[in-house]
Structure formats: structure tokens, C-alpha cells
Amino acid sequence: MIGTRVEINLDALAHNYRGLRQQVGNQVMVAGVVKANAYGHDMKTMANELVALGCDAIMVATAREAISLRKNGFKASLLVMGATQDDYLEEAVNLNIALTVFTWEQGKRLSEIGKATGKTAKIHIKLDTGFNRLGYKDFQKALEDISGLWTCEGLVIEGLFTHLALKDVESDRIQFEKFDAFIEALEARKIEIPIKHVCDSIGAVAYPDKLYDIVRMGALLYGFCSRPTTFSLIPVMTFKTNIAALKWIEIGEGVSYDYTFEAVRRTRVATLPVGYADGLPRGLSNKGVVYINGNPAPILGLICMDQCMVDVTEIDGCEVGSEVILFDDVLQTANKIARLVGTNRNDILSSISMRVPRVIMRGGKVVEIIDYLI
């Protein structure tokens, strides 16, 4: 396939999963996180592939993501980690989707739905131990609510979790201590919630003695972790395009909007059919590079919504159709691009838009092309 696309390497995904599984051992469950279209890698493909590899559960951020998976035939264990609007509660229960709960009112409503439908609403209670995003901040209130919900018909409290801020070891330690103290308070009331979880990719690597019952793995499975791992990671995604046009410009001529680049020599310019609407950050304008025939080609002028221009004056063999690497695991990583524009790799990966086809690869061969538009 030519044109702007990302290639998704299923062999790299399998490599990363097996390395993680060996590190955490068989006593800890692994959940694959596929929120935000699996960090841009295609949610449905990644969910099915991760379960086939051995993931015990799949986690998403929103009810709509979970519902989409179920409606596309996904059968495995599924948890929504974010807040869920009441409009989606009944459908989630009917589709056997576990939901995150942090209020008495929503827990009670789910119990009523479970009783009315003859199904069991599954919930994970979230505690706020210091991230200050979602979850019970008042632990006494949480304790009383859980005690009440524990005996409600049509409802099962499947899990209890929190999220680390990952500021530093000391602040993480305080969060762990709060979580452990809450577990002890529940146990004093004879309440034993079966699945407890705290660690995401970074947490699981940084705190191997604090894995609890399940670890929530997102970026690490896709080949990225900001902490050193005991095994090698291979990025799963490669972002590519092809040269659409070539032209020479003379000294003093400008490129793109506002002429933020003006040629100081005779310059050969390649136009690429990829822009910020595809996921190439506009912040790379005049400072990023792409790679053609293994050589860096500087981005010239402002990146447009749908196209950008690069300098190929010094690159031999450039022609219309030549392959262009925007990022990969060798020449230029998503981490490098993220540093250039002042963000993180998850932002770069998840910003690859729905108009960019996903080319699914295994064993060096294309097994599927996912085009969201046609």
C-alpha cells in the first residue's frame, strides 16, 4: 500500500506481551488497555490480538468504546475505567461490561438495573489516593457505600483500584499506603473484593512488589515505557507516507503559509500527503525531519492540515512515490517527535487520525488493511 498509513506490527506486540508476562509472572493477571483506539493502533484489532496472546481482560476509558467492542463480537472480560453517564448503564449491564463506580447513587442504580434485567451489574470501585481525577476522596464515605453495595442484589463488586500520579517514589508510597489501609478497613468488615489493581505500565515496571491482582498495560504493550524494563521493547507502530510531488525553488522563494521558511539556496522540495489532521504535529514545522532513503529531510515551513513540504536537495533517488518514514523504531521514534513538540509519546500515537489506514502486519506480510473511511 502507498499513501499515508500506519503499519501495525503484530509480531512486535507479541514480543512486548511475552516480555511483560515473563516479568510479572503467572500469579498476576494482565489487562490490555485499548482506550483511544488502542493508542492509535486500532482498538478492535488490539483487543482481539491481546486476548489471543493471553491477556486476562481488556480495559477502555469510555462506555462507548466498550459498547463498540461488544457490538463487534468481542466476548472477553471488559472494564470501563472512566466515568459512565447514566444513559449507558443499562446497555453496559446487558452487554456484560464492568463499570467504574465512585458514588452510592450510581452503584444503587446499577443494582436496580441488574435486578430488573435479571443480569448482574459488575463494578470496580475507584479510590482517589492522590491523583485527584476520579474516585472516592472521602474514604469513610467509600467504606460505608461499599458496605451497603456489597449486599445489594443484581450487583457484584468485582474490583477496587486507584491510579498513581507517578510524581516520585515518596508520593507513590503514600498512595500505596492509603490503598493498603483501605483494603485492611474493608477486610475488618469481612469484605474481600477479589480484584485489586493500582499499576499501569510505568507502575508495574517501577514497583514489581506492588502488582496486586492485575496490572493495566497500555503503552508498554505498544512498545513504550519511560522507565527501564528488564526486557527489550519494540514499538508496534510505524507511520509512513510517500512523496506526492517534487519541485525546485529558487533563493528567496517561500514555502507554505506565511513564508516562515524562505530558501537561501536553490532547494528541491518534496510535498507529502500528510498533515496535522493526520497526526503529524504542527509543532514540527521548521524543526522536525522525516526520513527518505534513510536520510533526514527537514520539514520546510508550516505543516498544513493535509500536507507538508520537506527539503530533499541532498537526498539521492527521490522521486514521486518514494517511501517516507515519519516515525518508526529505528530512524526516528515517536518519543523523539514528542520531545520536539513538548508532549509525550501517547499524545503522538493516539493523535493518528481515523483517516489514516491501519495496515496490519504479521511475519512481514500484510494480513489486513483497516480503512475507517471507505
Side-chain angles (χ1 to χ4, degrees), residues 67-340:
I67 291 166
S68 175
L69 283 173
R70 283 286 189 252
K71 289 186 173 180
N72 280 275
F74 185 75
K75 304 294 185 185
S77 179
L78 191 54
L79 170 67
V80 175
M81 295 182 290
T84 298
Q85 296 171 282
D86 286 350
D87 292 349
Y88 294 110
L89 297 183
E90 186 167 352
E91 188 169 12
V93 172
N94 283 326
L95 292 173
N96 191 30
I97 296 167
L99 298 176
T100 290
V101 168
F102 45 88
T103 68
W104 166 262
E105 292 76 15
Q106 194 163 74
K108 190 63 175 172
R109 175 65 183 140
L110 284 164
S111 169
E112 292 166 356
I113 291 171
K115 287 188 290 184
T117 60
K119 299 181 180 293
T120 300
K122 297 177 181 177
I123 66 172
H124 287 227
I125 302 292
K126 185 161 192 183
L127 301 179
D128 182 357
T129 56
F131 198 88
N132 289 318
R133 187 169 63 182
L134 293 179
Y136 279 100
K137 189 77 171 175
D138 183 338
F139 282 15
Q140 188 59 41
K141 171 66 171 165
L143 195 59
E144 297 304 325
D145 285 1
I146 292 172
S147 298
L149 293 172
W150 188 250
T151 58
C152 283
E153 295 179 31
L155 180 77
V156 61
I157 303 177
E158 182 180 77
L160 176 75
F161 74 112
T162 193
H163 197 296
L164 295 175
L166 296 167
K167 175 181 178 289
D168 52 40
V169 172
E170 177 60 19
S171 64
D172 292 341
R173 180 189 63 78
I174 292 169
Q175 287 192 258
F176 280 123
E177 288 179 351
K178 288 180 179 179
F179 190 69
D180 290 340
F182 190 82
I183 292 171
E184 290 180 7
L186 286 176
E187 290 173 347
R189 296 192 179 204
K190 309 299 182 186
I191 296 173
E192 178 61 45
I193 297 175
I195 302 174
K196 294 170 282 292
H197 47 112
V198 176
C199 289
D200 61 1
S201 294
I202 296 173
V205 169
Y207 303 107
D209 59 333
K210 286 290 190 180
L211 302 182
Y212 298 91
D213 301 298
I214 193 167
V215 288
R216 308 184 297 262
M217 295 291 102
L220 187 147
L221 291 173
Y222 305 122
F224 296 93
C225 189
S226 58
R227 306 290 175 91
T229 57
T230 59
F231 57 96
S232 63
L233 290 174
I234 303 175
V236 173
M237 180 189 290
T238 298
F239 196 7
K240 295 181 176 182
T241 192
N242 298 83
I243 294 175
L246 288 162
K247 61 172 61 71
W248 286 94
I249 64 171
E250 304 302 326
I251 294 172
E253 287 194 273
V255 173
S256 193
Y257 296 109
D258 300 328
Y259 285 178
T260 60
F261 169 85
E262 293 184 4
V264 295
R265 63 171 182 173
R266 191 167 188 259
T267 303
R268 196 179 192 208
V269 177
T271 298
L272 311 181
V274 60
Y276 58 79
D278 300 292
L280 185 67
R282 193 169 184 266
L284 291 175
S285 298
N286 287 309
K287 65 180 180 182
V289 301
V290 301
Y291 281 81
I292 303 171
N293 299 335
N295 299 293
I299 294 171
L300 303 179
L302 294 177
I303 293 172
C304 307
M305 181 179 287
D306 315 299
Q307 300 171 86
C308 70
M309 281 64 75
V310 300
D311 183 351
V312 296
T313 309
E314 304 296 332
I315 302 177
D316 295 331
C318 284
E319 58 187 38
V320 171
S322 291
E323 186 173 87
V324 180
I325 303 295
L326 305 171
F327 65 73
D328 63 1
D329 62 338
V330 178
L331 295 171
Q332 175 164 251
T333 66
N335 274 329
K336 178 183 176 182
I337 290 176
R339 288 192 294 270
L340 280 172

Side-chain angles (χ1 to χ4, degrees), residues 349-363:
L349 297 173
S350 62
S351 293
I352 305 298
S353 79
M354 300 291 276
R355 79 176 182 186
V356 177
R358 272 63 171 176
V359 181
I360 311 300
M361 312 281 292
R362 195 193 305 273

